[in-house]
Amino acid sequence: MKQIRPTESELEILGILWEKGPSTVREVHDILSQTKDAGYTTTLKLMQIMHEKELLQRDTSSKTHVYTAAISQQTTQQQLLNKMIDTVFGGSASQLVMQALGQHKSSEEELDKIRQYLSEMEKQQKKNR
Amino acid sequence: MKQIRPTESELEILGILWEKGPSTVREVHDILSQTKDAGYTTTLKLMQIMHEKELLQRDTSSKTHVYTAAISQQTTQQQLLNKMIDTVFGGSASQLVMQALGQHKSSEEELDKIRQYLSEMEKQQKKNR
DNA sequence: TGGCATTTACGAAAACTATCGTACATTTGA
DNA sequence: TCAAATGTACGATAGTTTTCGTAAATGCCA
């Protein structure tokens, strides 16, 4: 599989596009500048480069270009997770899971989802015996 | 809290030191070069810079210096996780957890640990009502 | 002891990332 | 219509990261 290596800034932009869907530079920049301090042309340039790298697609049919994430959130998540598990968690996924549950205090609802998910996995496993 | 931002290469080195404990440049480099293609002096330089940044400590009492990670694995894990949850998982820790459990196929033993962990959290929660 | 192997120190280049100024094009509305 | 506002293109620069060559120091052992 092709390994993608978005930078920190690129991930911020991807995150916005994943959440908001297709957006203009202006829209992305407005959100970005709430937490970050950079000029408009900086965001523009970043997104243009991301387009060259094929991290973003764009529609240039109207004057104001519209950008879309060209790599899926799921795939990106998985690749970053795998790398993180390997380098920072010594290869143990469960170690990562427990660390994640520990601090970032999840809501009761979230914990329920995880329990459901676990018992679902359990069922599958029995079936495959 | 002081935010640390190890680079990708730095994380690889930290990972080795966390696992192996105090090590020489040679030891780190030998492991690193199994998966990566870089010269010995590159690894040396990296570790020297990491020492300047206070990511590593070193013992220079013998000719061959011995390096140790100066930041804890736990703290680093937590900071990287939090950032990742925010930017890549839209703020949802459970989303990350499920994605992690999904692919990186955990052993039955690992899943058990997680279940135990969850029911432990449950108990705590009831207590606090 | 003297020379080889290993290691550190250091500088510099290469590669990549982030930032912005400026020029030019397009749209809009007074 | 035409000036202001908005957008894109593009080059330049500064900063950071990664890479490595070379020189000097140190240790080992034949």
Side-chain angles (χ1 to χ4, degrees):
Chain A
M1 186 198 283
K2 183 170 53 171
Q3 277 296 340
I4 46 182
R5 305 194 353 100
T7 67
E8 200 47 39
S9 301
E10 287 172 346
L11 275 181
E12 287 173 359
I13 290 174
L14 282 170
I16 291 171
L17 290 176
W18 284 328
E19 185 178 344
K20 297 285 177 191
S23 308
T24 63
V25 174
R26 172 65 56 195
E27 289 165 338
V28 171
H29 176 69
D30 283 351
I31 294 176
L32 215 49
S33 56
Q34 288 170 14
T35 56
K36 201 181 170 178
D37 186 13
Y40 173 83
T41 50
T42 300
T43 305
L44 170 67
K45 182 71 168 187
L46 271 176
M47 291 176 72
Q48 285 173 340
I49 291 174
M50 289 172 77
H51 176 244
E52 273 172 32
K53 292 188 188 173
E54 300 191 316
L55 291 174
L56 302 185
Q57 295 182 307
R58 72 173 168 184
D59 175 354
T60 58
S61 59
S62 64
K63 176 197 165 184
T64 305
H65 301 175
V66 176
Y67 289 79
T68 317
I71 59 180
S72 84
Q73 183 169 23
Q74 264 239 338
T75 305
T76 308
Q77 287 173 341
Q78 196 60 60
Q79 290 192 10
L80 294 180
L81 264 185
N82 286 343
K83 189 188 302 174
M84 190 157 174
I85 289 169
D86 281 350
T87 62
V88 187
F89 287 88
S92 163
S94 68
Q95 202 58 46
L96 173 140
V97 166
M98 290 189 285
Q99 183 88 21
L101 292 178
Q103 180 124 335
H104 224 281
K105 45 185 174 293
S106 323
S107 69
E108 186 52 34
E109 195 182 353
E110 282 198 312
L111 291 179
D112 270 345
K113 271 192 217 151
I114 295 170
R115 288 194 195 94
Q116 276 174 30
Y117 187 80
L118 280 174
S119 62
E120 202 53 46
M121 287 181 72
E122 204 161 8
K123 268 187 223 158
Q124 288 302 322
Q125 230 160 18
K126 278 187 185 151
K127 225 181 259 178
N128 293 341
R129 259 184 216 143
Chain B
M1 185 196 285
K2 183 170 56 173
Q3 276 297 338
I4 47 182
R5 304 194 354 98
T7 67
E8 200 45 42
S9 301
E10 288 173 345
L11 274 182
E12 286 173 359
I13 290 174
L14 282 170
I16 291 171
L17 290 176
W18 285 326
E19 185 178 344
K20 298 284 177 194
S23 309
T24 64
V25 174
R26 171 65 55 194
E27 290 166 337
V28 170
H29 177 68
D30 283 352
I31 294 176
L32 215 50
S33 58
Q34 288 170 15
T35 56
K36 202 183 170 177
D37 186 12
Y40 173 83
T41 48
T42 301
T43 305
L44 171 66
K45 182 72 170 185
L46 270 176
M47 291 176 71
Q48 286 173 340
I49 290 174
M50 288 172 77
H51 175 244
E52 273 171 32
K53 292 187 188 173
E54 301 192 314
L55 290 174
L56 303 185
Q57 295 181 309
R58 70 174 170 184
D59 174 354
T60 59
S61 58
S62 63
K63 176 198 166 185
T64 305
H65 301 177
V66 176
Y67 289 79
T68 316
I71 60 179
S72 85
Q73 184 170 23
Q74 264 238 340
T75 306
T76 309
Q77 287 173 340
Q78 197 59 59
Q79 291 191 10
L80 294 179
L81 264 185
N82 286 343
K83 190 189 299 173
M84 190 156 174
I85 289 170
D86 280 351
T87 62
V88 187
F89 286 88
S92 162
S94 68
Q95 202 58 46
L96 173 140
V97 166
M98 290 189 284
Q99 182 88 22
L101 291 177
Q103 180 125 333
H104 226 280
K105 45 185 174 293
S106 323
S107 70
E108 187 52 32
E109 195 182 353
E110 282 198 311
L111 291 180
D112 270 346
K113 271 191 218 150
I114 294 169
R115 289 194 194 94
Q116 276 174 32
Y117 187 79
L118 279 175
S119 61
E120 199 55 45
M121 286 182 72
E122 205 161 9
K123 266 187 226 157
Q124 287 304 320
Q125 230 160 17
K126 277 188 187 145
K127 226 181 260 177
N128 294 339
R129 259 183 218 143

